[in-house]
Amino acid sequence: MQSSALAIITMRREVAERYERINRLWLGARTTYRRLHEAPVANLAAMRDAALRLDQLTSGRAALLRDLKALSD
């Protein structure tokens, strides 16, 4: 069953909005991790949590980017 052009455009728009949101979250997580990494006294628990959050957002961001590229084809 083929999707209508309007449905594809709507899905692409929704995925693009989700990608923009996750990209902003990723940038914030990256900044947090860098700030913790460059701190004179290392807070290892906070760094570990920040690294985990950054990793989760990276994989989610990559998945959304793949979806976005698939919808543009």
Side-chain angles (χ1 to χ4, degrees), residues 31-59:
T31 301
T32 300
Y33 179 78
R34 284 184 177 175
R35 193 171 17 95
L36 287 168
H37 184 69
E38 294 171 354
V41 177
N43 181 347
L44 296 180
M47 277 184 65
R48 185 173 37 250
D49 291 341
L52 180 62
R53 177 77 174 144
L54 188 59
D55 186 51
Q56 290 170 343
L57 289 170
T58 299
S59 55

Side-chain angles (χ1 to χ4, degrees), residues 7-17 68-69 71-72:
I8 293 173
I9 291 169
T10 302
M11 281 193 307
R12 181 161 167 47
R13 191 172 292 155
E14 289 170 356
V15 171
E17 289 171 359
L68 199 55
K69 286 181 180 178
L71 286 171
S72 67

